[in-house]
Amino acid sequence: MTDPTRPAAGLPPLTVRYFAGARAAAGRTEETVPAGGTLDDLVTELTGRHGDRLAAVLRVASFLVDGVTCHDRQAPLPAGTTIDVLPPFAGG
């Protein structure tokens, strides 16, 4: 991931949307992060921003990248994409 104090020049940021327990752990529904990394990089950055409570959720969460399930956590995340963080849901 790029250094959050130095946004990637000219690249639109990533939008991260949190659902259910991820929303509670992050303390927000949505945020932006600089583009320029992989899903693993994003998880590291979000853990640094929000701490152990969110880290625990991220370990078991599923991720959608522009609505498509992401299985390759090392694939580059295109600038301007939306990443949905979906913790396991009970019931249903």
Side-chain angles (χ1 to χ4, degrees):
M1 203 96 257
T2 57
D3 178 347
T5 62
R6 293 179 33 194
L11 295 178
L14 304 174
T15 300
V16 180
R17 300 189 303 186
Y18 299 103
F19 294 88
R23 178 176 47 230
R28 63 189 65 217
T29 58
E30 183 175 294
E31 68 182 308
T32 60
V33 298
T38 66
L39 186 57
D40 280 341
D41 295 330
L42 177 64
V43 167
T44 299
E45 181 162 328
L46 296 175
T47 296
R49 288 183 181 199
H50 301 290
D52 292 338
R53 187 171 174 212
L54 182 59
V57 174
L58 295 175
R59 279 193 291 276
V60 296
S62 297
F63 298 90
L64 301 180
V65 177
D66 282 343
V68 178
T69 302
C70 180
H71 296 289
D72 182 357
R73 294 174 63 109
Q74 290 300 308
L77 294 171
T81 59
T82 297
I83 295 90
D84 294 329
V85 180
L86 306 170
F89 293 94

